[in-house]
Amino acid sequence: MSIAVIYGGNRSNGNVETLTKLATQGLMIEEIYLKDCVIQPIIDKRHAAEGFTDVSDDYNAIIDRILPHDILIFSTPIYWYSMTGAMKNFIDRWSQTLRDPNYPDFKALMSSKKAYVIAVGGDEPYIKGLPMIQQFQHIFDFVGITFEGYILGEGNKPGEILQDLKALSAADHLRKDLQ
Amino acid sequence: MSIAVIYGGNRSNGNVETLTKLATQGLMIEEIYLKDCVIQPIIDKRHAAEGFTDVSDDYNAIIDRILPHDILIFSTPIYWYSMTGAMKNFIDRWSQTLRDPNYPDFKALMSSKKAYVIAVGGDEPYIKGLPMIQQFQHIFDFVGITFEGYILGEGNKPGEILQDLKALSAADHLRKDLQ
Amino acid sequence: MSIAVIYGGNRSNGNVETLTKLATQGLMIEEIYLKDCVIQPIIDKRHAAEGFTDVSDDYNAIIDRILPHDILIFSTPIYWYSMTGAMKNFIDRWSQTLRDPNYPDFKALMSSKKAYVIAVGGDEPYIKGLPMIQQFQHIFDFVGITFEGYILGEGNKPGEILQDLKALSAADHLRKDLQ
Amino acid sequence: MSIAVIYGGNRSNGNVETLTKLATQGLMIEEIYLKDCVIQPIIDKRHAAEGFTDVSDDYNAIIDRILPHDILIFSTPIYWYSMTGAMKNFIDRWSQTLRDPNYPDFKALMSSKKAYVIAVGGDEPYIKGLPMIQQFQHIFDFVGITFEGYILGEGNKPGEILQDLKALSAADHLRKDLQ
């Protein structure tokens, strides 16, 4: 099984990155940091006669990097009770790829994948992060990805995630599942 | 009562814009179209010694436009079961404004406001849009905004919202409340 | 189309009953008041060798009354952010009927039905009632019922629902849909 | 810290009971099995001139047993994506106790407590059990209980919970927290 991690945060070595590294320690993973990429918000042309316009940013390159993998890990700090805007823009663009003649197998390829979500927040993530988990379920359902599991962790200041023993333990379990 | 509408969609005359116009017909409103603005994703420096860096994009100008109003209407198409990435990036940046010495009263001003959400989606928005509504509640709670109500509408192709009689009726009720 | 209403409340002429009557005014409906029935909590014998034991209460008679109808309306006051315990006990017993040789077609019959939920609560039902709506979606999905729509209304003291104009309007729309 | 566990299931040695025993192993706990108690559905007389009528069932005795404790653990199988009807009837009756002159301090006493939820279900409990968790949050908020945490486990047939290593590990963490 081959694994790609999509990091949605913009802080280097942030809490969710730390937690994700623990969950993937010792495994070969393809790591994508959205903070180092330019991803334009989608221009919705689903109903335009001319169809979508090609966008020259880093989005397609990211798609090319994730498509070969069996497992996708969405790793995001919880900003305002959801994934980061950067990660949301990335997912919004899937609507374009679903209609992109250059990616005729996008949905079929996505539907063969399994996904995990790892998210860390500072304001009661175990409760207030649940709508985001439900949204990921809907997102994954739409393209046919199997939602294998998620880890919610609590942390605000740098390094605080290391005090969330439950999250660390869950990361440990995930690492065993991924092996 | 003075009203600002924040449009999160990028399609002109999209379904949610249509529904929002019906809900605000005849009222003086300040209209902000995020699609015409550049809003950078937040660079999280909450924990950096130097603090946040000024960003030269359109974000602060939008904040300046919404702060004088009593009522905020967040009008967004439902992309992938949540607000658009553009709107999410806009809200993510509030974390910066909350610490911005140029906006010492940001939270106090926001906490005196009332908000509505109007959202239109194509895939069972009455059910699959609910996590987004819960997130808006958490967002508004955090800054003290009173969540006065929301309208979920169903529509995919341009103009389809006009067939969602329940949503049109709810827009009519909202218009009366706003007068 | 023939309609059965299942009332979960125990107060005569309660707010949700009032709202439901408005939504069904002038229609032939079969009305079931759970408050007038004895429904034992389920004794879970799904995994017992001997299977479920017949229970002599009013449950099967209710099932017999709802099965012939095309549309089920679940009408419940929101107690503690969910359906009443009486309605929950009624639904819990479906697990028994799903294995009851006297009802070999239970799931098939249920899966041909459409359902609506009408619920009234006193503590921010438009937000805090949403998890209950999500649960009804899961419940209906399990047996294959189509979840056609729901109305949430606000009311605490007797008669207060008549001040929730949005709910009244939604009831009016529902009545037209049911005709 | 003294602990009471309220079991909502009706099957002896069911999966959630097993998980709860692991989480409380070696601790002094007061155990309440709702299956062995008679709890009438609430008759809502909040708005009746005469007020609530005394009910002669086991409910008050359970309240008397839980009130002295600092920590309440709500342990329930997930029936139809929520707590059992028996547990719901128990909680519904709190509305009566909140107005019962024999329990003038009910809310004050409850608000000093911490609570945990342990729940096991067979149909994607990690996702489909989340609305129930949100409801418990609302329930606890209403009476001022602090929601300390929850464990969701997966299991259907007797004993299956022992294969959910994540849940077992979470139970182990909870046991350490409770010591």
Side-chain angles (χ1 to χ4, degrees):
Chain A
M1 286 191 308
S2 111
I3 303 169
V5 180
I6 302 151
Y7 290 104
N10 62 63
R11 192 148 52 82
S12 287
N13 306 311
N15 280 309
V16 72
E17 187 177 331
T18 300
L19 187 61
T20 306
K21 299 279 187 194
L22 288 171
T24 56
Q25 219 169 10
L27 304 172
M28 288 278 291
I29 53 172
E30 170 96 23
E31 295 186 304
I32 292 149
Y33 291 88
L34 297 183
K35 71 180 167 63
D36 300 332
C37 306
V38 174
I39 300 175
Q40 297 298 332
I42 192 169
I43 308 294
D44 179 9
K45 300 215 168 172
R46 286 174 298 158
H47 310 293
E50 75 275 18
F52 280 96
T53 313
D54 282 348
V55 183
S56 63
D57 61 3
D58 301 322
Y59 170 78
N60 280 347
I62 299 173
I63 293 295
D64 293 339
R65 288 174 65 193
I66 70 171
L67 280 182
H69 296 284
D70 308 308
I71 292 176
L72 304 180
I73 299 177
F74 294 81
S75 167
T76 182
I78 303 179
Y79 287 173
W80 295 93
Y81 312 105
S82 188
M83 68 181 83
T84 63
M87 186 172 274
K88 186 62 177 31
N89 270 334
F90 171 67
I91 290 175
D92 283 358
R93 290 280 293 281
W94 293 5
S95 298
Q96 180 161 357
T97 313
L98 283 166
R99 286 162 185 78
D100 189 334
N102 294 319
Y103 293 92
D105 300 327
F106 180 63
K107 193 167 181 178
L109 288 168
M110 290 298 262
S111 73
S112 68
K113 299 187 194 310
K114 296 176 177 180
Y116 294 87
V117 171
I118 303 178
V120 176
D123 182 21
E124 300 184 45
Y126 289 104
I127 296 293
K128 297 183 182 174
L130 299 185
M132 177 186 65
I133 297 300
Q134 295 175 319
Q135 286 169 336
F136 270 111
Q137 177 72 67
H138 290 315
I139 291 167
F140 296 153
D141 278 350
F142 190 88
V143 289
I145 293 173
T146 304
F147 193 178
E148 283 289 311
Y150 58 87
I151 302 176
L152 293 170
E154 185 155 7
N156 206 336
K157 294 186 191 147
E160 268 186 9
I161 189 63
L162 296 174
Q163 294 163 36
D164 183 342
L165 302 183
K166 273 185 296 186
L168 299 185
S169 168
D172 203 50
H173 276 280
L174 175 51
R175 193 171 47 79
K176 285 168 193 155
D177 287 349
L178 292 172
Q179 273 166 345
Chain B
M1 286 191 307
S2 112
I3 303 170
V5 179
I6 302 152
Y7 290 105
N10 62 61
R11 192 148 51 81
S12 287
N13 306 312
N15 280 311
V16 72
E17 188 177 330
T18 300
L19 187 61
T20 306
K21 300 277 188 196
L22 289 172
T24 56
Q25 218 171 10
L27 304 172
M28 289 276 294
I29 53 170
E30 170 97 22
E31 295 185 304
I32 292 149
Y33 290 88
L34 296 184
K35 70 180 168 62
D36 300 331
C37 306
V38 173
I39 300 176
Q40 297 297 331
I42 192 169
I43 308 293
D44 178 11
K45 299 217 170 170
R46 286 174 297 158
H47 311 292
E50 74 276 18
F52 279 97
T53 312
D54 282 348
V55 182
S56 62
D57 61 5
D58 300 321
Y59 170 79
N60 280 346
I62 299 172
I63 293 295
D64 293 339
R65 287 175 65 193
I66 69 170
L67 280 182
H69 296 284
D70 307 309
I71 292 177
L72 304 179
I73 298 177
F74 293 82
S75 168
T76 183
I78 302 180
Y79 287 173
W80 295 94
Y81 313 102
S82 189
M83 68 180 85
T84 62
M87 186 171 273
K88 187 59 176 33
N89 270 334
F90 171 66
I91 290 175
D92 283 357
R93 289 281 293 281
W94 294 5
S95 298
Q96 181 161 356
T97 313
L98 284 166
R99 286 164 185 78
D100 189 335
N102 294 320
Y103 292 92
D105 300 326
F106 179 63
K107 192 167 182 179
L109 288 168
M110 291 298 263
S111 74
S112 68
K113 299 188 194 311
K114 295 174 178 181
Y116 294 86
V117 171
I118 303 178
V120 175
D123 182 20
E124 302 185 43
Y126 290 103
I127 295 293
K128 296 184 182 173
L130 299 183
M132 178 187 66
I133 297 300
Q134 295 174 319
Q135 286 169 335
F136 270 111
Q137 177 71 66
H138 290 314
I139 290 167
F140 296 155
D141 278 350
F142 190 87
V143 290
I145 293 174
T146 305
F147 193 0
E148 283 289 311
Y150 58 87
I151 302 176
L152 292 171
E154 185 155 6
N156 206 336
K157 292 184 192 149
E160 268 187 8
I161 189 64
L162 297 174
Q163 295 163 36
D164 184 342
L165 302 182
K166 273 184 297 184
L168 299 185
S169 168
D172 203 50
H173 276 281
L174 176 51
R175 194 172 46 79
K176 286 168 192 154
D177 288 348
L178 291 173
Q179 274 166 347
Chain C
M1 286 190 308
S2 110
I3 304 170
V5 180
I6 302 152
Y7 290 104
N10 61 64
R11 192 147 53 82
S12 288
N13 306 311
N15 280 309
V16 72
E17 187 178 330
T18 300
L19 187 62
T20 306
K21 299 279 187 194
L22 289 170
T24 57
Q25 219 170 9
L27 304 172
M28 287 278 293
I29 52 170
E30 169 98 22
E31 295 186 303
I32 292 149
Y33 290 89
L34 297 183
K35 71 181 169 60
D36 300 331
C37 307
V38 173
I39 301 176
Q40 297 298 334
I42 192 169
I43 307 294
D44 178 11
K45 298 216 170 171
R46 286 175 296 161
H47 310 292
E50 75 276 18
F52 280 96
T53 312
D54 283 348
V55 183
S56 62
D57 60 5
D58 301 322
Y59 170 78
N60 279 347
I62 300 173
I63 293 296
D64 293 338
R65 288 174 65 192
I66 69 171
L67 280 182
H69 296 284
D70 308 308
I71 293 177
L72 304 180
I73 300 178
F74 294 82
S75 168
T76 182
I78 303 180
Y79 287 174
W80 295 93
Y81 312 104
S82 187
M83 68 181 84
T84 62
M87 186 172 273
K88 186 60 175 34
N89 269 334
F90 171 66
I91 290 175
D92 283 357
R93 289 281 293 280
W94 294 4
S95 298
Q96 180 161 357
T97 313
L98 283 166
R99 286 164 185 78
D100 189 335
N102 294 319
Y103 293 92
D105 300 326
F106 179 63
K107 193 166 181 178
L109 289 168
M110 291 298 264
S111 75
S112 68
K113 300 187 193 310
K114 296 175 176 179
Y116 295 87
V117 171
I118 303 179
V120 175
D123 182 21
E124 302 184 42
Y126 289 103
I127 296 293
K128 297 184 182 173
L130 298 183
M132 178 188 65
I133 297 300
Q134 295 173 318
Q135 287 168 336
F136 271 111
Q137 178 71 67
H138 290 314
I139 290 167
F140 296 154
D141 279 350
F142 190 88
V143 289
I145 293 174
T146 304
F147 192 0
E148 283 289 311
Y150 58 87
I151 302 175
L152 292 170
E154 184 155 7
N156 206 335
K157 293 185 192 149
E160 269 186 8
I161 189 64
L162 296 175
Q163 296 164 35
D164 184 341
L165 302 182
K166 272 184 298 185
L168 298 185
S169 168
D172 203 49
H173 276 281
L174 176 52
R175 195 171 47 79
K176 286 168 192 153
D177 287 348
L178 292 173
Q179 274 166 348
Chain D
M1 288 192 306
S2 111
I3 303 169
V5 180
I6 302 152
Y7 290 104
N10 62 63
R11 192 148 52 83
S12 288
N13 306 311
N15 281 309
V16 71
E17 187 178 329
T18 300
L19 188 61
T20 306
K21 300 278 187 194
L22 288 171
T24 57
Q25 217 170 12
L27 304 172
M28 288 279 291
I29 52 171
E30 170 98 23
E31 296 186 303
I32 293 150
Y33 291 88
L34 297 182
K35 71 181 166 63
D36 300 332
C37 306
V38 174
I39 301 176
Q40 297 297 332
I42 192 168
I43 307 295
D44 179 10
K45 299 217 169 170
R46 286 174 298 158
H47 309 293
E50 74 276 18
F52 280 96
T53 312
D54 282 348
V55 182
S56 62
D57 61 4
D58 300 323
Y59 170 77
N60 280 347
I62 299 172
I63 293 295
D64 293 338
R65 287 175 66 191
I66 69 171
L67 281 182
H69 296 283
D70 307 308
I71 293 176
L72 304 180
I73 299 177
F74 293 81
S75 167
T76 183
I78 302 180
Y79 286 174
W80 295 93
Y81 312 104
S82 187
M83 67 181 86
T84 62
M87 186 172 273
K88 186 60 174 35
N89 270 333
F90 171 67
I91 289 175
D92 283 357
R93 289 282 293 281
W94 293 5
S95 298
Q96 179 161 357
T97 312
L98 283 166
R99 287 163 184 78
D100 188 334
N102 293 319
Y103 293 92
D105 300 326
F106 179 63
K107 192 166 181 178
L109 289 168
M110 291 297 263
S111 74
S112 68
K113 299 188 193 312
K114 296 175 177 179
Y116 294 86
V117 170
I118 303 177
V120 175
D123 182 21
E124 300 183 46
Y126 289 104
I127 295 293
K128 297 184 182 173
L130 298 184
M132 177 187 67
I133 297 300
Q134 295 174 320
Q135 287 169 334
F136 271 111
Q137 178 71 66
H138 290 314
I139 291 167
F140 296 154
D141 278 350
F142 190 88
V143 290
I145 292 173
T146 304
F147 193 178
E148 283 290 310
Y150 59 86
I151 302 175
L152 292 170
E154 185 155 6
N156 206 336
K157 292 186 194 149
E160 268 186 10
I161 189 63
L162 296 174
Q163 296 164 35
D164 183 342
L165 301 183
K166 274 185 296 186
L168 299 184
S169 169
D172 203 49
H173 276 281
L174 176 52
R175 194 171 47 79
K176 286 169 191 152
D177 287 348
L178 291 173
Q179 272 165 350

